[in-house]
């Protein structure tokens, strides 16, 4: 592989990509189902305060959930009538508060017209992003308006857009970069204006050569007005898309343990988030629909679907022709960091990047054994931690003592579990250790 490709120094793995299933499928707009179940917790922080009541009529794009403290607003995905204020199942937590809307079958889709944003101040742009409920689409759903307002005294000089999409199977960012390059670049300009800086980098893994070429051609046609925006080709290595690893790859800067990107003068945003910021600022459109990869060999028809938030997975499966007989596991997210689910009655949220329908041949469900002290997990860990020791301490009932091994610096990428010859569930051990240590 060419040495000109950027990457991080420590650890990383090379799982089978399986992107060929969906990477050539253009974004397809899914027809609207008759009912939407919209969670009021789709972000890092506290659930939103519901603003709608049962039997209320709401219009597409209406604010129906007000952010409380650290959070992000939630909007109606369709025009219709509120039929329930209850709870919804989620892939991680057992249930979250939600609003169910029965769609008005006669209501037309809302039409958004572009407006000029160039005369707006950074604070006015930030307010638009906040009002639209933008969160980190590719991760834990951290509110974008908070991330874009680092603490006073912080010196930020670089913006890095995460177009790595290093998780196997997932192809949403790839398709957005291919099909909406102008919007991605305009969103980059908006982000640079908000941050008051001039240097932006779009990091894209080299397995998306077509996206790199399309973005670079789109940049050549742009009047950047003094801005420096580059498209940087990254080596194909997981977890290239993790914030700290991406920052090291693109800028050479290393975020210290326990630190945040702004500690080294960098802000990172996902490609999908950047497109959503374009929509919020240019079109005045809140975040209530997104592109989701539906992949795996257990679904009748894979797709990159543009779906409204609140669409149930069961509706997606029905639209794509159902599942295949050899379906063995359903995963929300990617296979490395996603969560297996046991039901299709889960709604799509702002942070769902993909839903995978995996057959027996695509998973490994063999039982795990004892640690054999091979050290492979130490070599694979991009944070330089000791996953083996954390696992052993958890099994010994000493989760509270795992901080010495850097458990809180782990971002649960799954590289350790991937390389373990004993198939030990190291990520699950680490999650359990964090929970117990916090208590």
């Amino acid at each position: 592989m060419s040495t000109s490709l950027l990457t991080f120094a420590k650890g990383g793995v090379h799982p089978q990509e399986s992107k060929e299933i969906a990477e050539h499928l253009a974004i397809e707009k899914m027809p609207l189902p008759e009912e939407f179940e919209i969670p009021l917790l789709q972000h890092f922080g506290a659930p939103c305060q519901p603003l709608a009541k049962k039997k209320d009529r709401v219009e597409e794009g209406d604010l129906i959930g007000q952010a409380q403290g650290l959070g992000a607003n939630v909007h109606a995905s369709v025009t219709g009538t509120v039929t329930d204020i209850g709870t919804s199942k989620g892939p991680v937590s057992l249930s979250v508060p939600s609003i169910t809307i029965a769609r008005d079958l006669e209501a037309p889709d809302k039409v958004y017209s572009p407006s000029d944003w160039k005369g707006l101040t950074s604070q006015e742009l930030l307010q638009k992003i906040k009002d639209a409920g933008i969160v980190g689409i590719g991760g834990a759903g951290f509110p974008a308006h908070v991330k874009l307002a680092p603490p006073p005294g912080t010196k930020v000089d670089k913006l890095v857009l995460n177009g790595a999409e290093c998780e196997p199977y997932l192809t949403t960012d790839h398709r957005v970069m291919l099909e909406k390059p102008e919007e991605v670049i305009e969103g980059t300009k908006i982000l640079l204006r908000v941050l008051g800086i001039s240097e932006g980098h779009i990091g894209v893994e080299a397995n998306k050569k077509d996206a790199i070429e399309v973005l670079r051609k789109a940049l050549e046609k742009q009047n950047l007005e003094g801005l420096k925006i580059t498209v940087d080709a990254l080596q194909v290595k997981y977890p290239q898309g993790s914030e700290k690893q991406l920052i090291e790859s693109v800028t050479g800067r290393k975020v210290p343990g326990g630190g945040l990107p702004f500690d080294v003068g960098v802000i990172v945003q996902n490609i999908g988030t950047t497109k959503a910021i374009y929509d919020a600022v240019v079109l005045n459109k809140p975040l209530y629909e997104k592109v989701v990869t539906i992949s795996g060999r257990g679904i009748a028809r894979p797709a990159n679907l543009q779906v409204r938030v609140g669409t149930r997975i069961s509706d997606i499966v029905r639209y794509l022709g159902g599942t295949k007989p050899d379906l063995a596991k359903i995963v929300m997210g990617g296979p490395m960091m996603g969560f297996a689910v046991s039901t299709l009655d889960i709604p799509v949220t702002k942070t769902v990047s993909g839903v995978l329908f995996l057959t027996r041949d695509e998973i490994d469900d063999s039982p795990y054994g004892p640690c054999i002290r091979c050290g492979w997990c130490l070599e694979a860990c991009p944070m330089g931690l000791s996953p083996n020791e954390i696992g052993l301490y958890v099994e010994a009932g000493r989760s509270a003592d795992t901080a010495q091994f850097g458990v809180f610096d782990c971002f649960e990428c799954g590289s350790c579990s991937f390389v373990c010859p004993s198939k030990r569930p190291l990520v699950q051990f680490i999650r359990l250790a964090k929970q117990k240590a916090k208590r």
Side-chain angles (χ1 to χ4, degrees):
M1 186 168 285
S2 171
T3 55
S4 64
L5 297 177
L6 305 176
T7 192
F8 54 96
K10 171 67 180 172
V13 294
H14 295 87
Q16 182 176 331
E17 293 180 23
S18 298
K19 291 180 182 288
E20 70 281 356
I21 299 173
E23 65 184 346
H24 299 299
L25 301 175
I27 296 171
E28 175 183 347
K29 192 168 185 177
M30 178 178 163
L32 301 180
E34 294 185 4
E35 188 174 75
F36 288 78
E37 198 174 314
I38 304 174
L40 293 172
L41 181 60
Q42 303 182 43
H43 47 263
F44 184 92
C48 289
Q49 178 70 33
L51 299 182
K53 302 186 297 295
K54 197 171 181 179
K55 297 184 179 180
D56 279 358
R57 179 179 173 83
V58 294
E59 301 291 324
E60 179 183 335
D62 280 357
L63 181 66
I64 59 172
Q66 181 73 53
Q68 302 291 297
L70 179 61
N73 292 337
V74 172
H75 299 80
S77 301
V78 289
T79 297
T81 303
V82 175
T83 58
D84 189 30
I85 308 289
T87 57
S88 292
K89 296 174 183 176
V92 182
S93 50
L94 293 177
S95 63
V96 296
S98 66
I99 294 176
T100 301
I101 300 174
R103 179 170 68 92
D104 180 349
L105 304 182
E106 303 299 323
D109 286 350
K110 189 168 182 178
V111 177
Y112 294 93
S113 300
S115 60
D116 184 19
W117 60 272
K118 300 290 177 61
L120 300 177
T121 67
S122 61
Q123 283 304 311
E124 289 171 331
L125 293 171
L126 199 61
Q127 188 63 47
K128 275 180 169 280
I129 293 168
K130 180 180 180 180
D131 291 344
I134 309 296
V135 300
I137 285 177
F142 197 81
H145 67 277
V146 178
K147 194 174 189 179
L148 293 171
T154 303
K155 181 173 174 53
V156 172
D157 62 352
K158 293 182 189 295
L159 168 71
V160 176
L161 294 195
N162 184 359
E165 198 164 46
C166 57
E167 274 266 18
Y169 291 91
L170 303 186
T171 56
T172 58
D173 287 345
H174 187 179
R175 295 311 311 180
V176 169
M177 289 185 287
L178 273 179
E179 299 181 40
K180 306 289 183 182
E182 291 82 9
E183 287 92 329
V184 170
I185 292 168
E186 196 74 4
T188 306
K189 291 181 179 179
I190 292 167
L191 286 167
L192 291 172
R193 170 74 67 83
V194 170
L195 294 169
I197 61 176
S198 60
E199 185 176 342
H201 298 265
I202 306 174
V204 186
E205 275 196 335
N207 56 2
K208 307 171 189 63
K209 291 180 181 178
D210 49 357
I212 293 172
E213 184 178 337
V214 164
L215 285 170
R216 285 177 174 168
K217 285 184 177 178
L219 270 173
E220 290 173 2
K221 300 175 184 176
Q222 291 273 335
N223 177 10
L224 296 181
E225 300 171 336
L227 300 176
K228 181 185 177 185
I229 302 174
T230 61
V231 180
D232 300 328
L234 308 173
Q235 190 180 121
V236 179
K237 182 169 70 167
Y238 180 87
Q240 190 72 260
S242 165
E243 269 194 339
K244 293 182 179 181
Q245 280 61 47
L246 184 63
I247 289 170
E248 182 185 345
S249 297
V250 172
T251 71
R253 302 174 185 179
K254 293 188 178 182
V255 180
L260 294 169
F262 61 67
D263 292 327
V264 295
V266 181
I267 295 292
V268 178
Q269 289 288 359
N270 172 265
I271 287 292
T273 307
T274 304
K275 169 63 168 61
I277 285 171
Y278 166 87
D279 291 342
V281 170
V282 177
L283 302 179
N284 293 303
K285 179 182 178 181
L287 175 54
Y288 60 80
E289 67 177 345
K290 67 191 307 291
V291 181
V292 178
T293 297
I294 311 299
S295 191
R297 292 171 176 84
I299 188 76
R301 181 168 74 87
N304 291 299
L305 284 185
Q306 182 172 311
V307 301
R308 302 279 178 96
V309 167
T311 301
R312 296 186 182 97
I313 298 177
S314 55
D315 290 317
I316 293 175
V317 170
R318 194 175 301 113
Y319 171 65
L320 293 176
T323 58
K324 294 182 179 179
D326 54 348
L327 174 67
K329 180 181 283 189
I330 302 170
V331 175
M332 292 191 75
M336 298 294 284
M337 294 186 71
F339 294 87
V341 296
S342 58
T343 176
L344 297 178
D345 293 327
I346 298 178
V348 169
T349 66
K350 299 175 185 180
T351 60
V352 173
S353 52
V355 185
L356 308 182
F357 297 83
L358 307 177
T359 61
R360 186 68 58 191
D361 292 339
E362 294 175 283
I363 66 172
D364 184 351
D365 58 358
S366 55
Y368 74 89
C371 175
I372 61 172
R373 297 287 186 176
C374 65
W376 289 7
C377 62
L378 281 76
E379 293 180 10
C381 179
M383 298 301 293
L385 309 181
S386 301
N388 58 333
E389 297 292 350
I390 296 171
L392 292 170
Y393 269 64
V394 170
E395 287 180 308
R398 296 179 60 186
S399 296
D401 299 326
T402 56
Q404 62 182 306
F405 304 114
V407 68
F408 289 109
D409 281 327
C410 172
F411 58 91
E412 303 171 16
C413 70
S415 295
C416 54
S417 299
F418 176 76
V419 299
C420 180
S422 294
K423 310 298 180 186
R424 289 171 63 73
L426 294 170
V427 173
Q428 284 73 19
F429 284 149
I430 288 168
R431 286 173 181 155
L432 184 61
K434 286 180 180 179
Q435 291 172 4
K436 293 195 173 182
K438 284 177 181 177
R439 289 177 192 156

